[in-house]
Amino acid sequence: MTGSETSVMVVDDHPIWRDGVARDLTERGFEVGATTGDAVSALRIARTVRPDVVLMDLNLGDTSGVEATRQITQEISGTRVLVLSASGEHADVLEAVKAGASGYLVKSASVEELVDAVRRTAVGDAVFTAGLAGLVLGEYRRMAVSPDDSAPQPPQLTDRETDVLRQVAKGLTARQIANKLVISHRTVENHVQSTLRKLQLHNRVELARYAIEHGLDQEGQQED
């Protein structure tokens, strides 16, 4: 399986590493439309190229990839950010996710893991190096203990959107949700996108946080 029709931009301040990642992805069928080594040009180029996925390093010399991640996910609809960093520090992971990153992969990952992560990020999955997904959801559970009382009341979701959201909170991929609910993969994606628009969220990680804050992850566990 290749990355056909998936466009990627690689942001890393180490030219040899950056070029190597771009080459690995190109050889596996991805369209690497741009590469750059700093946060400022990353945002400028992303606005023009509008890639499906931005592979973002966090340490970009004098700048941080976190702010670039925040601006890209806020300004460029349809572009998702997958962090690819040497750091596995919990604080870095949480900061990146809160900035809008769809996932977080450490640079020790294999080429096969990277290819799979980029492919899954492109279709909207939240992808993390083993052990980091639990960290993120655990932090959201902690935050849910004292939610922001000033937050506006959320819009109403349909029963099916709620069903899909419940499965997202359990960490299931779109295809796993489709199999569990006996609906098509495209229908799952349509419900996810509709829910994201209604709740004004950016990715599945934020959807999972919303579900946890509203107890949907617990309901989902009771169903099994």
Side-chain angles (χ1 to χ4, degrees):
M1 187 175 181
T2 69
S4 178
E5 299 183 0
T6 298
S7 59
V8 184
M9 182 171 79
V10 182
V11 184
D12 195 292
D13 67 338
H14 290 87
I16 294 177
W17 175 269
R18 182 173 70 236
D19 293 345
V21 169
R23 182 179 61 252
D24 287 338
L25 293 176
T26 299
E27 289 175 351
R28 286 158 178 80
F30 293 92
E31 177 190 345
V32 180
T35 65
T36 187
D38 66 89
V40 175
S41 64
L43 178 60
R44 183 181 70 252
I45 295 171
R47 285 171 176 156
T48 301
V49 177
R50 304 186 74 86
D52 298 313
V53 178
V54 174
L55 270 179
M56 179 74 70
D57 190 14
L58 293 185
N59 186 4
L60 299 175
D62 295 333
T63 59
S64 169
V66 171
E67 183 57 32
T69 295
R70 180 177 293 107
Q71 292 180 317
I72 288 172
T73 55
Q74 288 179 350
E75 294 184 24
I76 308 175
S77 176
T79 294
R80 299 180 174 95
V81 175
L82 172 63
V83 171
L84 181 61
S85 174
S87 171
E89 293 295 324
H90 292 180
D92 290 335
V93 178
L94 294 174
E95 188 176 15
V97 172
K98 290 174 183 177
S102 294
Y104 196 108
L105 205 65
V106 295
K107 287 185 174 180
S108 58
S110 67
V111 174
E112 290 73 21
E113 289 172 323
L114 172 62
V115 169
D116 180 65
V118 173
R119 185 184 301 117
R120 290 177 57 196
T121 299
V123 299
D125 288 345
V127 184
F128 293 90
T129 291
L132 296 184
L135 162 72
V136 174
L137 293 180
E139 173 67 6
Y140 283 159
R141 287 189 175 92
R142 185 191 66 77
M143 293 170 61
V145 173
S146 54
D148 182 4
D149 293 334
S150 65
Q153 291 298 312
Q156 291 296 313
L157 302 178
T158 67
D159 290 341
R160 183 54 87 185
E161 287 169 345
T162 301
D163 289 340
V164 171
L165 179 57
R166 185 175 292 121
Q167 304 310 316
V168 170
K170 295 168 64 178
L172 273 63
T173 67
R175 294 195 182 280
Q176 289 172 327
I177 294 172
N179 291 335
K180 186 176 181 66
L181 299 182
V182 196
I183 56 179
S184 71
H185 176 269
R186 182 178 296 276
T187 298
V188 172
E189 288 298 333
N190 288 341
H191 285 311
V192 167
Q193 293 305 315
S194 174
T195 303
L196 285 170
R197 287 193 299 271
K198 285 184 178 181
L199 301 179
Q200 297 183 356
L201 301 176
H202 298 95
N203 54 50
R204 276 178 167 77
V205 178
E206 293 183 2
L207 277 182
R209 175 186 175 181
Y210 175 90
I212 290 167
E213 290 176 344
H214 291 78
L216 294 178
D217 60 321
Q218 296 175 358
E219 293 178 30
Q221 291 168 357
Q222 291 171 359
E223 287 182 343
D224 294 336

